Amino acid sequence: MAPSIHPLIDNGITQGSSSFSGGKLHCHCPSDQVEITLNSNVAHNHACGCSKCWKPSGSLFSIVGVVPRDAVSVTANASKLSIVDKEATIQRNACKDCGVHLFGRIEKDHPFKGLDFVHVELSDEKGWQEPQFAGFVSSIIEQGSHPNEMDAVRAKFKAVGLQTYDVLSPVLMDLISTFTAQNSGIRFANL
Ligand SMILES: N[C@@H](CCC(=O)N[C@@H](CSCO)C(=O)NCC(=O)O)C(=O)O
Ligand SMILES: [Zn+2]
Ligand SMILES: [Zn+2]
């Protein structure tokens, strides 16, 4: 059987709702779940093949989007959270018991500082923005996917209407490069 890309991709994508304004995320513990309340829908929701984003077991990709950090609050069992890698750009807060990542936060100077990374599949609510693209696709080879499987993986994304990139989407890459240019002293008019 072909490996799962992700349950939210494998059988086609369900469109989100533009009027949806947030909901709750829960970790996978059978009891005393960590609960996160999001007062916003996600943006730039995407499949990520990198090794650092949390993926459901058996899936090659994570689905991860961003919300303003002010829209994120831990509303139950905060004591179960622990940062996976304090040195990483994105400090991923995971449940110590089940390993699920509840939110990833950037504290250092970075173009995405102020945005938290979250996985909407941890919510029972419907209406979250659907995945917009697939990023870090080639990174799945670093985790053991065979290079010969990559055409099939990219074809699966294409079949559900998603563009694939080996880093991030053009709009996000432009934001990163704009930040880098401005930090080096370049000033753009009318930005
Ligand atoms: N090939 C590496 C790539 C890891 C990577 O750079 N991941 C990105 C995307 S995460 C969500 O889009 C990133 O920004 N990482 C910063 C961080 O993780 O702190 C690999 O697969 O590990
Ligand atoms: Zn848990
Ligand atoms: Zn990632």
Side-chain angles (χ1 to χ4, degrees), residues 44 46-53 55 62 64-66 85 87-92 105-106 108 110 112 117 119 133 135-136 138-143 166-168 172 176:
H44 303 291
H46 62 283
C48 185
C50 93
S51 65
K52 295 165 172 247
C53 286
K55 306 170 171 106
S62 161
V64 63
V66 295
D85 177 1
E87 302 305 315
T89 300
I90 303 170
Q91 300 200 339
R92 295 174 175 83
R105 181 161 288 175
I106 299 176
K108 69 177 197 185
H110 188 277
F112 302 154
F117 288 71
H119 306 285
F133 67 92
F136 289 91
S138 55
S139 292
I140 67 171
I141 298 171
E142 297 171 30
Q143 297 146 71
D166 296 308
V167 192
L168 289 169
L172 293 177
I176 292 171

Side-chain angles (χ1 to χ4, degrees), residues 38-115:
L38 303 180
N39 292 316
S40 163
N41 202 339
V42 289
H44 303 291
N45 203 19
H46 62 283
C48 185
C50 93
S51 65
K52 295 165 172 247
C53 286
W54 175 80
K55 306 170 171 106
S57 65
S59 294
L60 293 173
F61 285 78
S62 161
I63 299 289
V64 63
V66 295
V67 287
R69 65 186 275 172
D70 292 349
V72 177
S73 42
V74 185
T75 40
N77 293 303
S79 62
K80 292 174 75 170
L81 287 173
S82 157
I83 295 173
V84 178
D85 177 1
K86 292 196 172 71
E87 302 305 315
T89 300
I90 303 170
Q91 300 200 339
R92 295 174 175 83
N93 284 258
C95 173
K96 282 184 266 196
D97 290 344
C98 68
V100 164
H101 296 184
L102 279 306
F103 67 98
R105 181 161 288 175
I106 299 176
E107 301 290 2
K108 69 177 197 185
D109 196 26
H110 188 277
F112 302 154
K113 186 176 180 186
L115 298 172

